Amino acid sequence: MICYNIPIIMAKVSKKLKSNFVLSALDRYVWNEQEPHNRSAIRKYGVAILLTVVVTLLKIFFSNIIGSKTPFLLYFGDIIVVAGYGGTGPAIVATALAALITDFLFLPPFNEPSLHPDILIQLTVFMIESAFIIGMSQTLGRAAEKVRRNGQRFRFLADASKVLSSSLDFQETMEAVAKLAVPHMATWCAIHVIDEGVITQIALVHEEKQKLKFVKKFNAIEPPTTSDNHGVAEVLKKRKSILTPLVTEEFLQESISNPTKLELAHVLHMTSSMMVPLLVNGVAIGVISFVSDSQKRVYTADDLLMAEELASRAGLAIENAFLYREAKQEIQKRRKLEKQKDEFLRIAGHELKTPVTSIKAYTQVLLFASQKRGETEPLQQLRKLDAQIDKLTHLIGDLFDATKIEAGKMVLNVDEFSFDTLVEEVVEEIQFTTTTHTIHIEGKTEQMVTADRERTSQVIINLITNAIKYSPNANKVNIQLYSEPTQVQFSITDFGIGIPASKKEKIFERFFRVSGDKPGSFPGLGLGLYISSEIVHRQGGKIWFESKKDKGTTFSFTLPIKKQKA
């Protein structure tokens, strides 16, 4: 009968709810705030009276053990259970009945009522303690129900996040949101979006499929428009949710003017509703409508908070879907442009090849004739013309190679050859055409490699001509040859302008060129290194570089000594 013991007992009981089967049952069927509202009055008061009688019989049966010093023992448990099961009213009835029975049976003089002051004091204390117990029981019930609801909400939102992150398609995301809401949050859920000033319903889910047709008819009659000042349009304009805890007849009469739509509203038995905006980057792009047709599900402020949280997570999913769609469109656009560019290069290269070949032939004829006649000045001009034609031929060849690589049609004619001999031949050929730089070769590999000799020669030519072109103030380039057990390595070092750190990642990209301080100072298509990289990689080798701005660059590549299976 000591009051301060009761909170300690209640706390211990609450702590063990999950570990004890009996207490778990009490938590589910007794300390559940919603359960008393779902039971009839006869049932609740009947249990209160019956349980009090049962407790009385137990006290009588165990009277020898319990004794007369604790007349109110067991009744406190009776009151706790009745308060949780039936609520405050039945608990008060159980308290009053327990007090009367105790006064008559368990307090002297026994078997007759007494109004002795000592008896009245004990009964008063019992009533006060019982009132405290009833209040604590109700508080515990509300707390347990709140914890249960919060747990369900957290689990629901966690599941919602998983579902929403599983798709990057806008339509699929909207349908997923509607399916998440039903039946967990609503009897039926509809989602409207606004696009170019037009409000459209894009998702609709009902708990009962046979009633879905009525909801479709309901939403099809006088659908929302941007000119409306209520419902979906109002939420879109104000970007604020609308909570209607009780959908009354007066509310329906005010908000629905069409008789057919009003009749459908009665068929659907709408009892409560929420409308929540879908926000993406602060812009309202749609509205989620939650509707309940049950008196047991009346929306509260807590329900609105959860609906807004779901809408917030849906907004993030939609934003990701939009970004994915934009990225996909951009990729498709780039692919289309790349395809058009490749087609242009293919046609341009093909159209240029024939006339350039003819010009080359005519130039050779003129060179031969001028040389035969001993004409010094025309001969020099024709040689310059011939050199420019060679450059143009080389550029056309690069265009063809680039389009072949993109189309996957580059063919490698693999053969075995001496790597050192190839390098020497290429150096001798280039050294003959340049007067500004001396090309030094250091080391030998003394190895035979199995690769495409012509394509490997093309790589070496590209690297040497680049080294000369990008070191205009130097007078030499150095080539180093190395041999390893499984591969040979070619490295070439220039002492030119170097490559800025910001451009190093793009150096092997198609059409990328390192430019000097002045635009056009180093002309070219930016295909040489791209083609060289592809040739080396397709032969099982590696290509890389090291560079410091204004200090120079070293390009290196390797080729395997052993034959690589295609």
Side-chain angles (χ1 to χ4, degrees):
M1 293 172 62
I2 301 175
C3 293
Y4 61 76
N5 284 333
I6 296 173
I8 298 174
I9 295 170
M10 299 291 282
K12 289 181 179 179
V13 169
S14 177
K15 187 175 181 180
K16 293 182 179 180
L17 276 175
K18 291 186 178 180
S19 61
N20 188 287
F21 174 78
V22 176
L23 293 178
S24 296
L26 288 174
D27 177 53
R28 172 66 182 87
Y29 297 105
V30 178
W31 292 323
N32 188 327
E33 188 186 22
Q34 293 299 318
E35 289 297 331
H37 301 290
N38 299 331
R39 300 185 179 110
S40 65
I42 295 175
R43 186 178 176 185
K44 290 187 290 185
Y45 284 96
V47 168
I49 295 170
L50 179 62
L51 190 58
T52 305
V53 171
V54 170
V55 169
T56 301
L57 293 174
L58 289 173
K59 283 175 64 66
I60 293 171
F61 185 77
F62 294 105
S63 59
N64 294 332
I65 299 173
I66 297 173
S68 60
K69 292 184 179 181
T70 54
F72 298 102
L73 187 66
L74 297 183
Y75 284 121
F76 290 118
D78 170 29
I79 293 166
I80 291 172
V81 173
V82 171
Y85 184 83
T88 303
I92 292 173
V93 170
T95 301
L97 185 59
L100 291 173
I101 293 172
T102 302
D103 183 23
F104 187 81
L105 295 178
F106 303 113
L107 290 175
F110 299 107
N111 298 323
E112 63 179 78
S114 174
L115 297 177
H116 189 274
D118 290 342
I119 301 298
L120 291 176
I121 290 173
Q122 290 187 60
L123 291 173
T124 301
V125 173
F126 170 69
M127 299 286 281
I128 292 172
E129 290 182 340
S130 296
F132 182 75
I133 288 173
I134 293 170
M136 286 292 294
S137 180
Q138 295 299 305
T139 301
L140 180 61
R142 286 191 293 271
E145 179 61 21
K146 189 172 183 179
V147 170
R148 184 184 293 107
R149 283 184 176 180
N150 287 339
Q152 290 175 345
R153 286 169 180 165
F154 287 140
R155 286 192 295 272
F156 170 75
L157 291 174
D159 292 340
S161 296
K162 290 181 181 178
V163 172
L164 292 173
S165 63
S166 65
S167 175
L168 290 172
D169 181 80
F170 176 71
Q171 181 65 38
E172 288 180 2
T173 301
M174 292 296 91
E175 291 175 357
V177 171
K179 290 177 181 178
L180 282 167
V182 178
H184 185 85
M185 294 178 61
T187 305
W188 55 274
C189 176
I191 300 180
H192 292 80
V193 295
I194 183 169
D195 185 21
E196 297 182 353
V198 179
I199 300 175
T200 308
Q201 177 183 288
I202 63 167
L204 179 63
V205 177
H206 196 288
E207 191 173 14
E208 301 178 36
K209 291 184 179 180
Q210 60 270 28
K211 289 187 178 181
L212 187 61
K213 60 182 180 181
F214 296 112
V215 181
K216 289 181 178 179
K217 289 180 181 179
F218 177 82
N219 287 345
I221 300 172
E222 295 182 350
T225 63
T226 53
S227 60
D228 296 339
N229 293 318
H230 62 276
V232 172
E234 181 183 356
V235 175
L236 285 171
K237 291 174 183 178
K238 297 181 178 180
R239 294 184 299 170
K240 290 184 178 180
S241 303
I242 296 178
L243 171 64
T244 309
L246 290 175
V247 178
T248 62
E249 182 61 30
E250 291 76 15
F251 175 82
L252 292 175
Q253 293 286 347
E254 290 177 4
S255 58
I256 301 175
S257 59
N258 186 284
T260 304
K261 189 168 186 175
L262 183 61
E263 184 180 348
L264 285 169
H266 293 146
V267 172
L268 294 170
H269 301 295
M270 294 185 291
T271 58
S272 189
S273 70
M274 298 183 292
M275 289 186 177
V276 179
L278 268 172
L279 302 177
V280 176
N281 294 325
V283 178
I285 65 145
V287 175
I288 309 177
S289 300
F290 304 85
V291 181
S292 170
D293 67 355
S294 172
Q295 294 293 342
K296 296 179 182 180
R297 182 188 278 152
V298 176
Y299 294 131
T300 63
D302 287 341
D303 295 316
L304 184 63
L305 284 174
M306 189 165 76
E308 289 176 338
E309 180 62 25
L310 176 62
S312 174
R313 299 186 184 206
L316 290 174
I318 293 167
E319 183 178 356
N320 290 335
F322 284 167
L323 291 173
Y324 172 74
R325 185 169 65 182
E326 290 174 3
K328 189 176 180 180
Q329 291 173 346
E330 182 64 24
I331 290 171
Q332 290 174 343
K333 183 179 177 182
R334 288 187 178 184
R335 284 178 177 173
K336 185 178 180 180
L337 289 173
E338 288 291 328
K339 188 176 180 180
Q340 291 174 344
K341 185 164 60 175
D342 290 339
E343 183 65 15
F344 169 76
L345 292 176
R346 186 186 67 79
I347 295 172
H350 185 270
E351 294 297 324
L352 286 172
K353 187 175 182 180
T354 301
V356 168
T357 302
S358 299
I359 294 172
K360 176 72 174 178
Y362 285 127
T363 304
Q364 291 292 330
V365 171
L366 291 174
L367 271 171
F368 178 76
S370 182
Q371 201 169 20
K372 188 176 181 180
R373 289 193 295 265
E375 299 172 346
T376 307
E377 186 174 347
L379 186 62
Q380 291 177 349
Q381 298 297 326
L382 286 170
R383 283 174 176 168
K384 290 180 180 179
L385 175 61
D386 189 55
Q388 294 301 319
I389 293 171
D390 288 339
K391 288 183 179 180
L392 184 57
T393 303
H394 179 72
L395 291 176
I396 294 171
D398 284 349
L399 288 176
F400 271 115
D401 287 341
T403 55
K404 286 179 181 178
I405 290 170
E406 288 300 310
K409 295 180 179 179
M410 175 177 275
V411 178
L412 297 176
N413 299 312
V414 178
D415 196 5
E416 189 177 51
F417 60 90
S418 169
F419 189 72
D420 295 339
T421 302
L422 175 64
V423 173
E424 291 170 0
E425 289 177 1
V426 172
V427 169
E428 183 179 355
E429 181 182 341
I430 296 176
Q431 186 66 80
F432 180 76
T433 61
T434 180
T435 58
T436 58
H437 291 70
T438 302
I439 306 171
H440 298 282
I441 302 177
E442 298 177 7
K444 284 182 177 293
T445 65
E446 298 180 351
Q447 293 289 346
M448 301 291 288
V449 297
T450 303
D452 188 317
R453 194 178 195 280
E454 184 178 346
R455 291 296 184 182
T456 304
S457 171
Q458 185 178 350
V459 173
I460 297 171
I461 291 170
N462 278 332
L463 294 181
I464 295 175
T465 53
N466 275 353
I468 293 171
K469 181 168 69 172
Y470 287 101
S471 58
N473 297 322
N475 59 10
K476 67 175 181 177
V477 293
N478 294 333
I479 294 174
Q480 297 87 33
L481 301 179
Y482 307 94
S483 176
E484 297 178 6
T486 59
Q487 63 185 14
V488 294
Q489 178 177 323
F490 173 96
S491 297
I492 181 167
T493 301
D494 67 56
F495 305 93
I497 64 172
I499 301 171
S502 60
K503 297 181 178 180
K504 287 184 177 181
E505 291 184 358
K506 298 181 178 180
I507 201 69
F508 292 113
E509 290 184 6
R510 190 168 59 150
F511 300 114
F512 181 80
R513 290 188 301 110
V514 176
S515 58
D517 297 330
K518 296 180 180 179
S521 54
F522 298 105
L525 292 176
L527 291 172
L529 289 176
Y530 164 72
I531 295 170
S532 297
S533 173
E534 290 293 327
I535 291 171
V536 170
H537 287 146
R538 292 183 185 219
Q539 296 188 113
K542 296 180 181 179
I543 186 168
W544 70 95
F545 69 94
E546 297 173 359
S547 181
K548 290 184 180 180
K549 186 171 174 55
D550 299 324
K551 297 292 184 181
T553 304
T554 297
F555 273 90
S556 303
F557 76 88
T558 62
L559 286 177
I561 294 173
K562 294 182 179 180
K563 183 177 180 179
Q564 299 294 310
K565 293 183 179 180

